Amino acid sequence: MFETDFTFNDLLFMLQGAGVTLAITFFAVTGGTLMGLAFGVLRASVRPWMTLPLVFVLDVFRSVPLLIQLILANAFQAIAGFGMSPFVTSCIVLALYTSAYCTEIVRGAIDAVPTVTRRAARSLGLTWGQDMTQIVFPMALRVALPSWIGLTLGVMKDSALVLWLGIFELLKSSQVLITRLQEPMFILLIAGGIYFMLSFPIARLGGHLERGWKEND
Amino acid sequence: MIEIENVHKSFGALKVLKGIDLTVDKGEVVSVIGGSGSGKSTLLTCINGLEPIDEGRILVDGTEVHARSTDLNKLRRKIGIVFQQFNAFPHLTVLENVTLAPRKVKGMGRKEAEEIAVRQLEHVGLGDKIKVYPSRLSGGQQQRMAIARALAMSPDYMLFDEVTSALDPQLVGEVLDTLKLLADGGMTMICVTHEMRFAREVSDRVAFFDQGVMAEIGPPEQIFGEAKNEATRKFLSSVR
């Protein structure tokens, strides 16, 4: 039968890593979404040429592999003497990376709200801000949510790359155990299971919200 | 009173309005007819400041719509507009669609806004639909909801932009009946329309637009009976 040296304490060790993964994902997605919202609204509201510098910077974050961004950012902050911990550096890089994708999700979703609907809102005397909060955001949210959930799940998995900065997140913890116990298949199976358990509720939450909206359509 | 003085408007190289002069008095119903691309709809969007104009001026109760100092959001409370496409806010119920502007723009309390909304919805025959979402309504019902939504702001003027054009033929009647009811109630209205019978029966004056110019204006009997302008006669014989 199946025998293993894997103990309960090892599982706790992995769950601690999962906590770090969750924390990095939380800060990256929260920061990235807030920045993405601001940049996306800006992109959808002003003439395209006005946001060209912003688009260029965001394109850099979307085009350069995340691993290279992490390592360069970590080296740069050390040289510049910012004294940031790898955890903070990782959160900032991942947040910028998330914001680059989120900006386009938000811009696309705002553009999907028909111009005539917005005209109707403005014709009733609603201000630009009221039009945004009462009409555009609620309608755009329905368009943006599936892509945003996908982005969040993607960032959670991409966050594994921060192990290269020496952070003990889920994958790094698994690596340590694999080196010690020499049971890669079994430990990776557990790690995969934990990733799934972290992702599943987020994916289900999206599905749940969408079903609620569908009832009105 | 709405005063339109020598209004010019272009979209790029395309001149849509070429010097429109028109005065609409309180309580008057003016129908605007004409072929597509004649500038009828553009004029309506200029009146409530959704579109800037190139030349001339538009005054609503003495306030110049396109003056820099004009608070457009405030001015728009006076001017309701209903568009050709049904512009329901799909994420709000019928009642919420109608109470949104009174609550957010006028700062009315929920209860007061709902009382007004229910009254307006009953007025347009949607009293039994207040809890449903717009997607459950027919095109005609959505259009009547849009009318109730505009009326809930108690506007002094109503602009209708081909409100029956996107409707199935059997739904046109119910919307036109709502407009007639409004006209009978003394509302000042400018209706861009393709419904000649409606224009004839309800309007005090009918204006014929041709390629950005108001070619002729007069009482319905004149326009539909003995139009002076050749283009008007040609247009009317083509739509009859």
Side-chain angles (χ1 to χ4, degrees):
Chain A
M1 253 322 272
F2 188 75
E3 281 180 28
T4 177
D5 296 324
F6 190 81
T7 63
F8 182 68
N9 277 337
D10 294 335
L11 181 65
L12 281 184
F13 180 64
M14 284 180 83
L15 286 177
Q16 258 174 11
V20 175
T21 292
L22 210 55
I24 291 177
T25 307
F26 174 79
F27 290 122
V29 170
T30 306
T33 302
L34 289 176
M35 282 190 281
L37 261 176
F39 297 156
V41 170
L42 191 69
R43 287 262 286 135
S45 306
V46 302
R47 293 176 192 284
W49 62 265
M50 293 168 103
T51 53
L52 273 182
L54 174 71
V55 173
F56 176 75
V57 173
L58 295 179
D59 270 345
V60 170
F61 280 102
R62 286 202 298 178
S63 314
V64 177
L66 184 58
L67 182 58
I68 297 178
Q69 291 183 40
L70 283 165
I71 292 173
L72 284 182
N74 196 41
F76 175 77
Q77 70 82 25
I79 294 165
F82 288 166
M84 292 190 299
S85 68
F87 181 84
V88 173
T89 310
S90 301
C91 287
I92 291 174
V93 171
L94 267 164
L96 285 167
Y97 174 80
T98 309
S99 79
Y101 285 94
C102 194
T103 299
E104 291 310 299
I105 294 175
V106 171
R107 184 188 62 83
I110 291 176
D111 283 349
V113 177
T115 318
V116 285
T117 309
R118 300 191 60 180
R119 280 199 150 194
R122 295 306 300 275
S123 76
L124 288 167
L126 264 64
T127 61
W128 182 86
Q130 288 171 328
D131 170 42
M132 273 292 171
T133 54
Q134 305 295 322
I135 308 297
V136 178
F137 285 154
M139 286 178 73
L141 184 63
R142 289 151 164 76
V143 180
L145 190 79
S147 310
W148 184 84
I149 296 275
L151 176 63
T152 301
L153 297 181
V155 169
M156 180 184 288
K157 286 175 283 182
D158 289 343
S159 74
L161 289 171
V162 304
L163 70 88
W164 290 97
L165 303 192
I167 296 176
F168 273 75
E169 44 66 71
L170 180 52
L171 195 60
K172 178 76 175 174
S173 323
S174 311
Q175 264 190 349
V176 169
L177 291 179
I178 290 169
T179 311
R180 180 158 61 79
L181 302 174
Q182 295 297 313
E183 295 174 34
M185 296 285 277
F186 180 59
I187 290 165
L188 284 178
L189 205 64
I190 295 174
I194 296 175
Y195 271 117
F196 177 75
M197 283 190 289
L198 296 179
S199 305
F200 190 70
I202 300 173
R204 288 326 315 145
L205 174 73
H208 177 73
L209 285 173
E210 280 181 60
R211 255 197 317 283
W213 292 333
K214 273 246 163 57
E215 281 169 17
N216 304 331
D217 294 337
Chain B
M1 189 161 73
I2 297 177
E3 297 158 275
I4 300 163
E5 296 171 5
N6 189 32
V7 166
H8 289 256
K9 165 80 189 166
S10 346
F11 290 110
L14 183 70
K15 283 202 153 198
V16 188
L17 298 175
K18 303 170 189 165
I20 302 292
D21 288 287
L22 173 66
T23 303
V24 180
D25 286 320
K26 269 267 163 77
E28 201 182 9
V29 177
V30 174
S31 287
V32 181
I33 60 171
S36 47
S38 59
K40 316 177 296 283
S41 301
T42 306
L43 182 68
L44 293 193
T45 47
C46 289
I47 291 174
N48 81 346
L50 284 171
E51 287 287 352
I53 56 174
D54 303 335
E55 216 183 304
R57 58 179 196 164
I58 299 175
L59 301 169
V60 175
D61 292 340
T63 307
E64 192 174 338
V65 176
H66 296 88
R68 271 177 173 270
S69 56
T70 301
D71 181 351
L72 269 180
N73 295 324
K74 203 172 159 194
L75 186 71
R76 283 177 184 145
R77 298 181 200 178
K78 281 190 186 185
I79 315 167
I81 184 166
V82 181
F83 300 92
Q84 179 179 345
Q85 305 91 338
F86 329 127
N87 289 311
F89 306 136
H91 58 293
L92 302 176
T93 64
V94 169
L95 186 67
E96 288 164 344
N97 260 273
V98 181
T99 54
L100 179 71
R103 292 186 62 199
K104 298 294 168 191
V105 178
K106 284 189 164 174
M108 228 179 249
R110 178 190 289 270
K111 213 176 147 221
E112 192 188 352
E114 285 184 352
E115 275 170 18
I116 291 171
V118 169
R119 202 161 57 235
Q120 292 300 348
L121 285 165
E122 279 170 354
H123 189 60
V124 299
L126 290 174
D128 56 337
K129 301 282 185 198
I130 60 171
K131 289 270 162 59
V132 305
Y133 283 88
S135 55
R136 298 282 160 87
L137 300 180
S138 71
Q141 289 170 329
Q142 288 198 36
Q143 204 55 303
R144 283 187 279 146
M145 184 201 77
I147 295 171
R149 191 170 68 185
L151 289 175
M153 289 297 282
S154 334
D156 297 328
Y157 306 94
M158 283 294 292
L159 313 175
F160 293 98
D161 183 11
E162 299 184 30
V163 287
T164 55
S165 299
L167 293 175
D168 292 336
Q170 72 272 21
L171 300 177
V172 169
E174 61 185 71
V175 174
L176 291 184
D177 287 345
T178 308
L179 297 195
K180 276 182 198 158
L181 215 63
L182 264 181
D184 292 343
M187 175 64 80
T188 313
M189 293 161 53
I190 302 179
C191 309
V192 169
T193 185
H194 290 304
E195 300 291 332
M196 296 305 146
R197 237 186 82 195
F198 170 81
R200 189 175 204 152
E201 287 171 12
V202 178
S203 321
D204 297 308
R205 284 189 296 161
V206 177
F208 172 69
F209 273 46
D210 184 37
Q211 294 173 19
V213 176
M214 191 165 69
E216 191 167 1
I217 183 163
E221 309 82 57
Q222 179 200 319
I223 300 292
F224 291 104
E226 49 213 59
K228 294 180 182 123
N229 188 294
E230 175 60 32
T232 315
R233 283 199 296 272
K234 213 168 155 193
F235 172 76
L236 285 172
S237 65
S238 72
V239 293
R240 262 178 199 150

